Amino acid sequence: MGTQKVTTSLIFAITIAAIGSFQFGYNTGVINAPETIIKDFINHTVRKTVGDPPAVLLTSLWSLSVAIFSVGGMIGSFSVGLFVNRFGRRNSMRIVNLLAIAGGSLMGFCKLAESVVMLILGRLVIGLFCGLSTGFVPMYIGEISPTALRGAFGTLHQLGIVIGILVAQIFGLNVILGTYDLWPVLLGFTILPAVLQISALPFCPESPRFLLINRNEEDNAKKILQRLWGTQDVTQEIQEMKDESARMAQEKQVTVLELFRVRSYQQPILISIMLQLSQQLSGINAVFYYSTGIFKDAGVEKPIYATIGAGVVNTVFTVVSLFLVERAGRRTLHMIGLGGMAFCSVLMTVSLLLRSSYNWMSFICIGAILVFVAFFEIGPGPIPWFIVAELFSQGPRPAAMAVAGCSNWTSNFLVGLLFPLIENYIGAYVFIIFTVFLVIFLLFTFFKVPETRGRTFEEITRSFEGQAQGADRVEKGPIVEMNSMQPEKETSVDF
């Protein structure tokens, strides 16, 4: 195997793909800053339609405007397999940008049309798009990246998300687009990245794994690998794909149900779901969805700027994770992140409870939130997105990405729905619940999650199959766990 290089073609393809990640982050964070203004719009519009509505109707419409995004994400993420096997990874990303344009248009013109329905429908459609993108982007990046840099490049999906959140927070300031006149522009801005990605994707290659394994286009796949990796010697990678293609030809198509029925898939799909839950049930979305209120409760006079500060920390430590993931490994970073977040979650609870007695506790609370965010981006933020693609071969990968993505979006929806209700009853003690979850996920990662750094897709798949076969028969010797296996010597990569 030749020396692989980080080429301009590879960087360009990953960057363009990560626009979909940016879209997810932007549309997650964009609704927070203009909350009061959008509530006034809903109030004004409903009053013109039905007279004097009950307060519960207005609250329900606002909650629906926020939550319907996650409902769309759940549906979209579960539909990933319908696209990627039929149209390919690249073309799927291009096609679904039509949803982003449609959703952005509905939200951008809802004020002009004085229609709350258009706002809610726009959030649903953009949620569908983002749900699909959270499956397409990590899959595409994982399949075009060199093995030695798969984790680092996989982290770029999360980097795109946090940059999107940060841009949404900045654009949402009342000195930029967070005004009564310009908030539709803030929501409709999502059209521009969609147009950019549609225009640029034709200049990006299709996934070579898709071309060879799904379409049997070996020459095409070989040329793309050579161009992306900057080396003529891709014999080993091509042979690995051909072996996987031969094995797929002997198997029936893997459905979502098969992931839970077939023993060799059961452990990786359980790991995939648990890692997605560890991301969402860690409390990070509770912090970001309601960060302005948390900072206000902590005594910050202008909480929106503190929230933006948390977004900056979010971005910086995602970059840190990018450089650490291929050195420390996925499993280690994930455990460090979960442990650090558990400690900070306890600290947040204590500081919020004592804030009324000790003013300086407000600063402890803010510090705990910022460190909490930093630990999230070290591991639980980026790793669950790309490790799912690493745990499965080409056949079951789309179905696995759909299940994992749907788990992520569903837990995201439940946190957004239940956090304010629980917080209303138990106050700051709500973060103790997240602490319990974090400890559970930490223990699960320690005992069940394998290290995938430096291993090919085929090697990881064979390891799970070996464990499944060992579980089906009584053996005299011990079964080799993946955690006891050392990564192969890494391929040299030139920058």
Side-chain angles (χ1 to χ4, degrees):
M1 183 162 47
T3 301
Q4 301 161 353
K5 299 177 181 177
V6 178
T7 63
T8 304
S9 297
L10 181 61
I11 294 297
F12 179 78
I14 291 174
T15 302
I16 296 303
I19 291 175
S21 313
F22 171 89
Q23 291 275 60
F24 172 36
Y26 184 85
N27 286 286
T28 297
V30 75
I31 201 75
N32 293 337
E35 175 181 344
T36 303
I37 297 171
I38 295 177
K39 282 181 176 178
D40 287 343
F41 161 74
I42 293 173
N43 188 10
H44 172 74
T45 305
V46 172
R47 284 181 185 280
K48 287 185 67 175
T49 306
V50 298
D52 192 14
V56 67
L57 174 62
L58 299 175
T59 303
S60 298
L61 287 173
W62 163 250
S63 299
L64 184 60
S65 301
V66 175
I68 201 73
F69 174 73
S70 293
V71 174
M74 282 186 266
I75 299 170
S77 62
F78 207 71
S79 308
V80 167
L82 298 177
F83 286 85
V84 292
N85 288 332
R86 185 174 288 105
F87 304 110
R89 280 59 165 151
R90 180 195 64 176
N91 290 336
S92 293
M93 288 190 287
R94 196 170 186 222
I95 291 168
V96 299
N97 270 295
L98 297 175
L99 290 174
I101 293 172
S105 299
L106 285 167
M107 294 185 294
F109 291 106
C110 67
K111 183 185 176 186
L112 189 64
E114 296 187 334
S115 173
V116 177
V117 173
M118 283 180 63
L119 172 64
I120 294 171
L121 187 59
R123 288 285 292 172
L124 173 64
V125 173
I126 202 68
L128 283 168
F129 163 74
C130 290
L132 288 162
S133 292
T134 54
F136 296 161
V137 176
M139 190 184 304
Y140 178 76
I141 292 176
E143 291 183 4
I144 68 173
S145 298
T147 300
L149 288 174
R150 201 172 56 225
F153 284 138
T155 303
L156 293 177
H157 171 61
Q158 179 69 10
L159 183 60
I161 293 172
V162 298
I163 289 175
I165 293 172
L166 181 60
V167 169
Q169 290 171 338
I170 294 172
F171 281 10
L173 292 173
N174 56 17
V175 294
I176 304 179
L177 295 178
T179 65
Y180 189 79
D181 293 325
L182 295 178
W183 69 264
V185 178
L186 179 68
L187 299 186
F189 173 81
T190 193
I191 295 172
L192 295 182
V195 171
L196 175 60
Q197 192 176 44
I198 284 178
S199 304
L201 276 173
F203 301 99
C204 300
E206 180 53 270
S207 161
R209 299 188 72 86
F210 172 78
L211 290 175
L212 194 153
I213 298 174
N214 295 75
R215 295 280 177 84
N216 200 28
E217 298 180 16
E218 181 179 339
D219 290 340
N220 232 352
K222 185 175 182 180
K223 289 175 184 176
I224 289 172
L225 271 184
Q226 289 171 339
R227 186 168 89 249
L228 286 174
W229 294 3
T231 178
Q232 293 300 304
D233 184 8
V234 292
T235 307
Q236 184 172 328
E237 287 77 15
I238 292 294
Q239 186 58 47
E240 181 213 333
M241 294 180 199
K242 289 169 73 174
D243 292 343
E244 189 174 334
S245 180
R247 190 175 62 173
M248 272 185 63
Q250 299 172 358
E251 299 174 346
K252 62 181 180 180
Q253 185 176 359
V254 179
T255 64
V256 169
L257 289 178
E258 290 293 320
L259 292 175
F260 296 94
R261 287 174 179 168
V262 178
R263 186 177 289 275
S264 60
Y265 298 147
Q266 287 173 353
Q267 184 175 348
I269 196 61
L270 173 64
I271 292 170
S272 301
I273 292 171
M274 288 295 284
L275 288 182
Q276 296 293 340
L277 294 180
S278 75
Q279 184 188 88
Q280 295 299 331
L281 299 182
S282 65
I284 190 65
N285 278 344
V287 169
F288 273 107
Y289 279 148
Y290 305 99
S291 54
T292 302
I294 289 173
F295 281 119
K296 185 177 180 181
D297 288 342
V300 179
E301 292 184 6
K302 293 186 177 180
I304 185 61
Y305 292 104
T307 303
I308 291 174
V312 172
V313 172
N314 216 13
T315 305
V316 169
F317 277 88
T318 305
V319 175
V320 171
S321 178
L322 189 153
F323 290 101
L324 290 178
V325 70
E326 294 297 353
R327 291 176 170 83
R330 288 82 156 129
R331 182 171 174 269
T332 301
L333 285 184
H334 196 68
M335 288 193 296
I336 290 172
L338 291 171
M341 291 172 75
F343 174 77
C344 291
S345 192
V346 173
L347 200 57
M348 274 190 278
T349 304
V350 173
S351 58
L352 285 171
L353 289 173
L354 297 179
R355 182 180 61 83
S356 58
S357 301
Y358 305 97
N359 291 334
W360 51 271
M361 274 293 177
S362 296
F363 300 102
I364 299 294
C365 182
I366 294 169
I369 289 174
L370 295 179
V371 177
F372 181 92
V373 169
F375 273 116
F376 175 78
E377 294 304 346
I378 288 293
I383 289 171
W385 288 120
F386 67 82
I387 201 172
V388 180
E390 294 185 324
L391 296 177
F392 292 90
S393 58
Q394 195 80 359
R397 186 175 295 131
M401 295 292 286
V403 171
C406 190
S407 302
N408 188 291
W409 279 93
T410 302
S411 51
N412 183 334
F413 170 74
L414 291 175
V415 170
L417 183 69
L418 298 177
F419 175 80
L421 299 175
I422 298 173
E423 194 270 342
N424 187 50
Y425 281 106
I426 64 176
Y429 290 105
V430 69
F431 287 102
I432 295 297
I433 297 175
F434 292 122
T435 305
V436 173
F437 278 125
L438 288 164
V439 172
I440 292 171
F441 293 130
L442 176 60
L443 293 173
F444 178 86
T445 303
F446 180 78
F447 287 108
K448 292 293 184 181
V449 177
E451 180 53 70
T452 58
R453 175 174 61 96
R455 311 202 69 80
T456 65
F457 292 123
E458 185 72 7
E459 288 171 335
I460 296 167
T461 301
R462 284 201 305 265
S463 297
F464 282 120
E465 288 176 347
Q467 291 181 35
Q469 290 168 3
D472 286 335
R473 64 181 184 270
V474 178
E475 292 184 335
K476 293 182 179 180
I479 299 169
V480 178
E481 292 281 346
M482 273 190 70
N483 286 339
S484 67
M485 300 169 64
Q486 296 300 317
E488 66 178 11
K489 187 176 180 180
E490 292 186 7
T491 307
S492 59
V493 181
D494 292 342
F495 289 86

